[in-house]
Amino acid sequence: METASNARGVIFGAVPCADWSFLGDYLTEDVKVYCADGGLSGALAAGLTPHLVVGDWDSGGHPVTGVPCTVLPVEKDLTDLQAAMDLALADGCTELVLCGCVGGRRLDHTVFNLLLLEWLKDRGGRGIIVDRESETRLLDGEEVLLSGGPKYHYLSLAPLDRQLTGVTMEGVKYPLRNATLTRGDTLSVSNEQTAPQARIKVGEGRALLIRSQRD
């Protein structure tokens, strides 16, 4: 997902994880690490040194000696994660890997964190949300090639717009060709990559491409 001209940032949310080794697939040598409040614990557990810590300290985060820190008010108009993403963009990171952001006790935070992929896209960035079992990215009238063979058992395309048009899925168990998908229908859930390379294309509209149950 990274291009030569774009810096990559990893942003840790506060959802805990017992094993961060999956992040090895996404780290680069010069990656910058941002912690949204309680995400500090995740970054340290993953053996990473934070580049910046951001938060209002209501989920376990705290300033770290020698690490730049942005203190946010408890009452504010955006989450700690969105604030961290905004600061990462300002720091030149347009490729963001978000971890510790889904599956916690707050379903509302999980939903809004997924939607932040749209917010990021509208500001010229690209993001991917990852955890031990899943990987989620936004497609906006574009296509992606999933190479290297199946890493996940399931592959789903969840429309964000009312309709997606020109949807093509190749190299999967249930292929589609120039199809129309409607938000709220489950036609495009639980597909499976069957070829070394899968091609997923959305002609028009926005959707979340979700790969789950890591093999």
Side-chain angles (χ1 to χ4, degrees), residues 107-145:
L107 177 59
D108 52 346
H109 278 200
T110 290
V111 171
F112 276 86
N113 290 347
L114 290 169
L115 295 178
L116 278 173
L117 293 176
E118 288 196 281
W119 176 90
L120 179 60
K121 176 75 173 182
D122 291 340
R123 284 153 184 79
R126 282 195 298 174
I128 186 168
I129 295 178
V130 298
D131 61 21
R132 290 178 66 186
E133 291 291 343
S134 63
E135 175 187 275
T136 303
R137 69 189 76 198
L138 175 73
L139 295 187
D140 183 13
E142 59 188 302
E143 73 172 65
V144 64
L145 298 177

Side-chain angles (χ1 to χ4, degrees), residues 36-87:
D37 205 328
L40 173 63
S41 297
L44 296 178
L48 300 174
T49 301
H51 175 79
L52 178 68
V53 180
V54 180
D56 56 16
W57 320 136
D58 68 349
S59 60
H62 55 82
V64 177
T65 302
V67 176
C69 171
T70 297
V71 180
L72 303 175
V74 174
E75 296 183 355
K76 54 190 181 297
D77 294 330
L78 75 172
T79 63
D80 295 333
L81 178 63
Q82 186 176 359
M85 293 170 67
D86 199 28
L87 290 168

